[in-house]
Every structure is written in structure tokens, then in C-alpha cells.
Amino acid sequence: MFFRYLTVFLVLSISFQSTAQVSKWGKVSQRELELDSVEFESDANAVVLFNTGKLYFVQGSGHNIEIRKRIKILSEEGIKEANREVYFYSYDGFEDIIRFKAQTINTDSEGNMETLKVDKASTFKTEVTDRFSSFKWTFPDVKVGSIIEYTYTLKSEGITTIDAWRFQEEIPTLYSKLETEIPNALAYKILFQGPRLIRKYGTGPNQSQWELMNVPSIKPDEPFLLNHNDYYEKVRLQLEEYYGSGTVQKVSGGWEDFAHTLYKHARFNEYNTTRKAKIREELEAITLPSGQLGKVKALFNYVTSNYDWNRRYGLIPNERFVDYFKNRKGNSSSLNLHLRGLLREAEIPSDIIVISTISNGITFKQSPFFTDFNHLILRVPINGKYYFLDASSQGRLPFGMLPLQSNVKEGVLTERDNAEWIKISNAKKKMDVVFASFYFDSTGYLTKDISWLLKDYSAESMRKYIVRNDSSKLSEKVSNVSNYELTKYSDLNLLDAEKPLKVNLVLKDTEEPISESDILYINTNLEPDLEENPFKRDERNFPIQFKITPFLNQTFTLQIPNGFKVDELPTSIALTLPNKEAKFEFRCKEVGDKILVSTSYQVLQNEIKPRYFHDFRLFYTKMIEKVNEPIVLTRID
């Protein structure tokens, strides 16, 4: 993992001679004017010329970060960089954006520069949630070759933990630097994320400023990367001690203090302890079976069936218990703390496990940041076995299987005054078994009769899709059927997550009957995710990650129509990665008047290391080429 931390005691910044030239506001160097591509990222549409920050403290009011950034537009696609948006934590005035200015710098055909300022009337502060806001603006008259620059100050009341600086962006960066001015009375622990920062500063002398040059981009849509935020080069600060009242004062910040702070939160405490009477009354109205496992299942099903998740995660419930109870709806912690209350009243022990969901990213295990965590689940011991439960699953998974977002490896078991990291054991299967029969019906149109047998996460995904969409939309789950109509649909066990889901579709071609063709090209690929290779870049510095390891098994038969013969069949093939972490097998043969095709694809690990990227990219390329290779039939003369 790319995490490491270094404890340093920061003092006032010392002078630093940078190897990069940062131009003054509005002044553009000849090098910046002539730049039209990025040497280390040739396909870049725009580039950050420099991004600098200065962090300092204001007595009695937290800290400020003065930010200045300059970007050059390299292509038409890069013009979208003219639309900017900055998010900040606005709850109770904790953060704000002040001292903003921005401008576009263009040059005409004779080399004369024109500066167009961003009008303050065209900037907007918008409340995104009850805790976060965004600041938006658009640069005027941006075109290929434009240079855009802006500056603002992030004003924050934060002092204990500071997400100080990110050196990497969605476009490449030529130069990024953060300098700090921190009083002698404060001592911070510095936490680095990213291999470049760790190599440069992780074992060196104490620093009060950091810089990186020629940093490649990270794309949010990077394929098979669970959370791109986990891999940004960045620096965070955590206050360890301060000098006050004539002595050095240690700052709370260990995991025990993390747990204590969580448990003393009024809203958390309301759900966890103070509403016992209301929960006891509710429990008395629930009929429970005998046996502890049966009771836990019944209470879990009661919560997931009678209360809705509002699609929000949180360590703390975002509404009062009385409102949650009345509206039958709440965030993830509301549901799980409610379930814990019912278990407690039923005299069934359970533990609270604090986690960071996949979309929230991985955490610094060395130091507790509350912002690193956004969810809590329960661990219940039953007959010598631990069951991990999450009521936000809404009953679409078998009992004891966590939703995908909660499918993480570790979490923090929290008690009132104690906390410890534990492993989370959870099934990580994705099982797709597909049977398909292709034939030409009596009217001469190709018909595809497709049946899925789905378990675990595959079944959950399909259940969600069916519930949210009309059955006619199910053709979107099948490759190569854009001109087909759905003529039949059925399902089995749609609402019973404890059983495999069975779905059957019959799809009929509507465009070209067999009578109009002397040559038939029939693609047997049924999986939309295998239509195109997602790995577009030649290099990759990140692991290849899977939320769950895929397992796909397809069996297909094609009835050879009367009057046609096989002209060409895809050859059979078997592929295995050199490290044995992925396997693919494709078999195709003619048997009598039928063609039999079987496809098997399996990845054995949730993460493939970057050094195997080229092998996996080649593996994936060959697999996609093979599954999309058509069967060719020709008319018999």
C-alpha cells in the first residue's frame, strides 16, 4: 500500500530555492506560451503549469491556505477545464472560500496578450448537502492555447486534523508545492500518501514545505480501480501536541480517544443507549423464533423490511431517533444502530465496527481521522461464528453477506473507551452462469433464449436492476441485441435473497430475416462488459482491483438453420496469467446440426499488482477478441 507517516515537529518555514519557476500573477513566460504537449503524458488535453499553496495559522480562528493555480489548455477536449468547482465543509461556517480572483490569458496571431477577468457576479456558492457547499465559476473565452489562472484562500477553523495538500490531479501537473508557516507552539504529525512523496520525504530531514514535479494524472474513470482518491499524492497534518499554560499538552488522537469521541456524540448516544424504552416496546411486537441465529435473522429482516435506507452513509445518524422512527427512513448508521438496539433488548450481544466504504477510500491506520470513516456495521457472535451485518443491504443479499460498498478487508471495532483494528470476513463471490440457445424461428429471424443462474452479488445486482426498471430494459444486460425485441420474460426467487436468482429472456431479431442473407455472422458474446477493452493506456501505476472476484461461465448452442453450413468457427483457446491470478477458456465445436460454445472466465484475487499490468492487458485483449469472434455460416448452393 502507498501509505506511510512521519512524525515531525514543524516550526516556521525556512527559505527554499525551488527548481521550478512560478510566474507572477498575469505574467506568462515564453516557455508557457510555447508549451503544446506534455512530454510524460502525450495524450493530455490540459496541464497544470503550477499549483502552489501556503498554509498558515490565524490566532483564534484556525488556519488558512492561500492557493494559486495556473492551467494551459492543449486541445478542444481540454476546454472543459474552464468550468471549475471547489468543495468545502460549510457546516456552521467551518470552512469558506474568500479572496477569490481568476482570469483567462489569450494571445492573438501577432503574439499580443489579452486578459479577461472572471466577473465575481458569475461565481456561485451552492449548498450541496447540509454539511458541504461548492464554489463554482467559469473562465471566459477559453480556447486551445488559453492559459487560465486563479487564486483564493480556503479559510478553515480546523486545527487538529488538516487535509493540507493534493499534488496530483485529473490532468498532469508540472509543478506543485505546499509551504507551511506553523508556530513553535504547535507540533504536527505529517502523513504522506503516494510513492513519490514517500521516496522524496519519507526518510529525509524534517521539512516545512514539499514539492513535486512532473506528476502524471489520475483519471476518476480509470478502469478496475476501486477509488482513485486512494492513490493521489497528498499530505495531511495531525496535531500531536501544543505548548500551553507553561507545559507541553498532548492532544487526544489515539484510537481509544476516537472511540470515546464517537460514543459521547449526542446523536450517536441517543440511538445507542437512551431510546431503550421505545425499542423495547417495538421488540415486544415482533414474533421471534427460538434459537439465537433465528432471532438475529428475524430482527435483521424486520429492520430491512420495515425501514428504508436514504442512500446516505454516516458514522452518526443524520436525524433524531423520533423522526427516524416516525418516517421509517434513515442513513446507514440509523439503521444499524437501531438493529443493535433491538439485538441488545433481545439479550443478543453485538459489536460496532467502524469502516470506510469502497467509495470513501482507504484509511490511515496509523492515525485516526474521523473523515476517513463514513459507515458502521455490526458483528454478531452466534454459536462460535461471527456474522457481519449491514441493514443498508435492504434484504437483497443472503443473511451475513455485506453489501458491495461495505465489502472491505478491515474495520475498527469500537467500544466506549477502546478501539482496535480487526479483519472482516465476508464472502466475495460474483457468480454468473449463463445458458443460451440461438435458433432461427419459423419466420426466419434469429432468436436468443437466454437463462441466468445468479448467486450472491451477481444476484443482488440483477435484483436491483429488475426492481428499478421495466422488464423490457433487461435486453440492456445482453450484448449484441440492439435490434432485438423482448418476447418473453420470467424470473424465479426475485424477492428471496437466500436462494439463487433465475432469469429467462427470449429476444428476437427485428431487422434481417435469414431469407435475405447468404452469409450469416453470429456473435456469441452475451456479456456487455466484454465488448471492448477498457485498458486504453499503455502504462499503469496502480493495481488492477475488483470489488469482488468475477466468475463467468457461459454455455451456448446454435442450431444451424436448414440450407446453411459452417464456413468458419472461432478456434478454441485457454489463457492463464503468468502469476495464475486469472484464467480464461473458450471452446467451440460443431456437433451434428448444432454448434456448441462454452466460455469460462475467472479472476482469483481481488487485486493484481501494477507489475502484472501488461500481462493482464494482453490477457484481456485476447479474451475480448476471442469472445467477439463470430461464427460464420454460408448458404448451401
Side-chain angles (χ1 to χ4, degrees), residues 28 100 120 181 199 259 288 412 432 440 519 538 620 624:
V28 180
F100 169 81
K120 288 187 178 180
E181 293 182 357
R199 282 197 299 267
L288 296 179
V412 182
D432 292 18
F440 289 86
I519 302 178
D538 293 331
Y620 218 84
I624 287 177

Side-chain angles (χ1 to χ4, degrees), residues 96 98 335 468 498:
D96 197 9
I98 60 174
L335 293 168
R468 294 174 183 174
E498 297 296 328

Side-chain angles (χ1 to χ4, degrees), residues 19-20 31 35 38-41 47-49 167-168 171-176 196 199-200 211-217 233 541:
T19 56
R31 175 178 172 272
L35 182 71
V38 180
E39 184 176 354
F40 59 90
E41 195 166 319
V47 59
V48 176
L49 300 174
F167 295 81
Q168 198 165 18
I171 57 176
T173 299
L174 299 186
Y175 180 69
S176 184
R196 293 172 181 80
R199 282 197 299 267
K200 188 171 184 179
E211 67 173 5
L212 289 179
M213 300 178 66
N214 298 335
V215 185
S217 65
E233 302 276 348
N541 298 313

